[in-house]
Amino acid sequence: MSDFPRAAQVVIIGGGIVGCSIAYHLTLRGLSDVVLLERKQLTSGTTWHAAGLVGQLRATHNLTRLAQYTAGLYATLEQESGQATGFRQMGSLALASNAERFEELKRGASMARCFGLEVNVLNPDQACELWPLMNGADLVGAVHLPKDGRTNPVDTAQALAKAARKRGARIFENVKVTDIAVEGATVKGVRTARGDIKAEFVVNAAGMWAHGLAAKIGVAVPLHAAEHFYVVTEPIPDLPPHLPVLRDADACTYATEDAGKLLVGWFEPVAKPWGSEGIPESFAFDQLPGDLEHIEPLLEGAIRRIPVLGRAGIQLFFNGPESFTPDDRYLLGETPEIRNLFVAAGFNSIGIQSAGGAGKVLADWIVDGHPSMDLWDVDIKRVMPFQRNRRYLKDRTVEALGLLYAMHWPFRQPETARGVRRSALHDRLDERGACFGETAGWERPNWYAPKGVVPRYEYSYGRQNWFEYSRAEHRAVREAVGLFDQSSFGKFVLEGPDAESVLNRISANDVSIPVGRIVYTQWLNEQGGIEADLTITREAQDRFLIVTSAASQTVDLAWLRRHTPESARAVAFDATSAYAVLGVMGPNSRRLLSSLTDEDLSNEAFAFATSREIDLGYGRVRASRITYVGELGFELYVPTEFVQAIFDLILEAGEAHDLRLCGYHAMNSLRMEKGYRHWGHDISPQDTPLEAGLNFAVGWSKGEFIGRDALLRQRQKGVTRRLVQFALGDDRKLLYHNEPIWRDGVLVGRITSGMFGHTLKKPLGMGYVQNAKGLADRSFIESGRYEIEIAGELVPALASLRPFYDPSNLRVRETQEPRKASAAAS
C-alpha cells in the first residue's frame, strides 16, 4: 500500500488496450509520471474477447490515418517490448454480392489510394482464389487490402503496458476509481478505494463504465453496451493458415482463421443493448448468455457463404458486450465541460485497430496542448448534452451495431431514437411533405415531397428519389424565393463591457463594427487552423450574437468560454432554444418581406451584412441580410413563441411571389455552386484561411488575435495547398467526399464535399490541391489537367479558385432583382 501514489501528472482510468496505448504513448513523449488504474485486471472489460481484427481503411481520411498508424505500431511492438503480440498481416477481403455494394467497395478502394494503402479490386474468380473455401456464385466483385491483419488483443495490450512500465509508467490493478475530482471547471485528480490521487490530467478510458463515471460530474460521454456474438469452430482439416480476413457485409458476417479453426462473427441489423440497468460490480472476463435464436438466421447466411461451416462443429458460442456511440464514431479528446479531463472510449467494436492511433494522438494532445491532426470525426466536443440520456442511448444502440456493416449510403439517416429536437415549425413542415434528416438530434427538413409522394429516402450512389424535388427547390431560390427553417443554428450571446475585446482576440476578422452590422469570421488556433466558422452580429455596444452550425453548437460554445479570460467583464450564454430562424432567400425575397413590414429593405437602407429588429406582421424579429446560398436574402431571428404566426404569414403572402419551402439538400447544392465552405468538411483545425481561400475574412491590420503570427508567417512563405472548386465533365457521376484528385496524372488531393449544382447542371466538388514541389499558387492550380477518381474511374474535371456561380457577388449585393438566375459557368 505504501507505493500507491498520491499524485501524478496523468492518471488514466481503464486498463483495456486503449488505456495501455495512452500510457505507452505518453511515455514515448517523455512523460514518466503516468499512473494507470484498472478496476479489475488489465483487458478484463472488452479487450480480452475482441476478435483482434486490424483493418486500415476507415470511413474518413483521419480515421484511416489512425488505423494505419496502429498497424505499423503493432508490426514493431513485439520487438520493442519483448512481449509476443501475435500480430500478422494476412490481408482482408471485402465481398460484394450486388452492384450497390460493389460501388461502395470501389469508392472505398479509390479513397484508399488517397492514403497510400495498397488495394486491389478483384473479380469473383480472383476473390475465390484468395478464399477457396467460400461459395462465390453470387459475387459481383471484391476488394482486397493485403496489409490488413490480426493481432492477439490481450497480448498486444500487455505489450503496450510492459513498454510503458519500462519508461516509468505505474500500473495498478484491482483499483476502482469511484469519482473524478473537479474544482471549478478543471479536473484535479481521482478518488479511489485506496485514496485520492491528485493529477494535472485525467483520462477516462473506462470503456463501458466511462458513461456512468462521467455522468457523476455532469460530463456527457454517450455510449452504451450491446451484445456481440461470434462462434469458433472445431478444428477444420486442411484449413489454409493465411486466409485473409473475410468480410461479407451483405450477410453481416466476418470470418478469420484462428489456429486451425474459423472464428465467425456478426454485426446484425437489430442488436441487443446490454447494461441499461447497470453493469454488475463483479463483471470481469465475463460472458453473456448465448442466444442462438437471435443469431441463427445470420449463422445460416454464413454457412451459405462458407459451406464448410455447416460440417464443422461449434467449439465456442461467444457473447460479450462492446460499447457503441450514437453515430458509430468513438469519443476522443478533452471534454467541453471540464478542462484537462480527456476521454478515450466508445470504440464501436474497432478498438483494437484504433487503439494505437488513438493513444498516440491523445498523448500528443495532452503534451502539446492541442491535437496533432484534425480529429473532428471523433472529437468528444461534437457531442450534445442530451446524448448522455440512457433511454436515447439504448434505443439508438439497437441500430448502431448493425450500421458497421450496413450500406454506407450517401445522405443515410438514422432510424432509431429520432424526434429528439424539433423546431416549433416541425408539425407545419411535416404537413407540407418534409422529409426530415437528423443533425445533432435536430429533425430538419432535407427535402419536400410533392402531394401524393411519400417523403421517404430511397438510397443509392446515383441520383436518389428526391433529386428532382430538390432541383425544384434549388431553382426556386435562384429564380424566385425559397423559405428555409434554419432554427437548428447554434446561437450564443456574449454580453458585457469587454465583449468586443474578447471577440477581437478570438476572431480572425475585425468585430469592431457598428451596431447593426454582421461580420463573417473564423476562430483560429495558435497554428492558424480554423476551429470555428461563423457570423457575429453586433446587437448593441456591449452585446454580440454569434451564429454557427447545429453540429458545432457544443464545440464553439466551449471555445468561446475557454478563451474568455476569467477577468473579462463578459458573459457567454447559449440562446439556441430562444430563437427560431427563417431563411427567406432569392431574388423575390425583398418584395415578399416588404409586403409584411413597414421597414425600408432597399439596398440603400438595408445593405448586405446589415441586421436590425423590424416589425413583421404582429411580431418583432431580427432581420439579417446574410446568405449561405448566394442570393439576395434575409435570415429572420424570431422569438420561438412568435414563429408559427410569422411562418403562416410569410407562407400566405409568398403565394404571390412563387415562394417554395426548401430543405437542406437544396441549401447544400446552392452553397456548393457559390463555393461557400462548410466547417468539418472543407475547413478544419488543420486548414488555415489562406489555404481555404478565406483571407478576405482576416482582419490583418486590427492587431493581435489567436493564430495571427502563424498566418503572417504563412502569408510571407506562401501556401503549398489550396482549396479548389471542381465541376465534372460527366453529369452522370456524383461527388460526395474523399474522391482522389489527379493533376496531370499525379495524385494531389481529395474531395472534401460534393453535390450536384442544378443551376450549372454539373456535379460539383471542393478539395485541397497540394503542390509537392512548390507553391499552390494560381499558376499551378490553373495550369493543370484534372481528373477525379470515382469508384476506380477517372472523370475529367474543370478546376477553379473562384466560384463557378456569380463569382463577383453581384446577386448577393444586388440593387436590382433579375427574373432569372445566371451562372458564370454552364
Side-chain angles (χ1 to χ4, degrees), residues 21 80 134 152 220 339 624:
S21 176
E80 178 187 356
M134 74 174 171
N152 182 305
R339 291 177 184 266
S624 296

Side-chain angles (χ1 to χ4, degrees), residues 530-612:
I530 300 170
E531 295 284 349
D533 181 68
L534 32 76
T535 62
I536 297 176
T537 301
R538 188 164 207 157
E539 296 186 322
Q541 284 297 325
D542 61 350
R543 180 183 170 100
F544 293 82
L545 174 66
I546 301 159
V547 179
T548 188
S549 69
S552 301
Q553 180 181 349
T554 300
V555 63
D556 289 354
L557 183 58
W559 188 269
L560 174 62
R561 285 175 169 165
R562 290 194 176 178
H563 290 85
T564 299
E566 292 185 8
S567 60
R569 297 171 299 163
V571 176
F573 63 90
D574 191 331
T576 300
S577 299
Y579 297 99
V581 183
L582 298 176
V584 184
M585 300 288 161
N588 292 350
S589 60
R590 181 185 288 135
R591 285 197 293 265
L592 167 57
L593 293 178
S594 293
S595 71
L596 303 174
T597 183
D598 296 330
E599 188 80 21
D600 184 355
L601 302 182
S602 67
N603 207 56
E604 295 74 21
F606 212 112
F608 180 74
T610 295
S611 178
R612 66 172 69 110

Side-chain angles (χ1 to χ4, degrees), residues 476-498:
V477 175
R478 291 281 184 250
E479 300 173 8
V481 59
L483 178 60
F484 297 88
D485 179 12
Q486 299 170 229
S487 301
S488 62
F489 277 176
K491 300 170 280 284
F492 320 131
V493 172
L494 186 70
E495 190 168 22
D498 295 336

Side-chain angles (χ1 to χ4, degrees), residues 668 671-672 676-678 681-682 735-739 750-755 764-767:
N668 195 24
R671 72 98 183 172
M672 285 294 299
Y676 289 153
R677 281 63 166 149
H678 184 275
H681 287 92
D682 311 308
L735 294 171
Y736 297 111
H737 59 85
N738 283 330
E739 293 89 353
R750 60 186 175 85
I751 294 296
T752 53
S753 62
M755 198 71 175
L764 304 176
M766 278 191 269

Side-chain angles (χ1 to χ4, degrees), residues 193-214:
R194 290 197 186 183
D196 296 352
I197 304 177
K198 294 180 180 179
E200 185 179 351
F201 300 96
V202 173
V203 181
N204 182 351
M208 296 180 290
W209 294 268
H211 174 280
L213 191 59

Side-chain angles (χ1 to χ4, degrees), residues 88-105:
R88 54 196 179 102
Q89 290 177 296
M90 77 289 286
S92 69
L93 184 66
L95 306 179
S97 55
N98 55 69
E100 292 82 5
R101 180 68 72 175
F102 198 32
E103 170 88 358
E104 179 185 65
L105 292 181

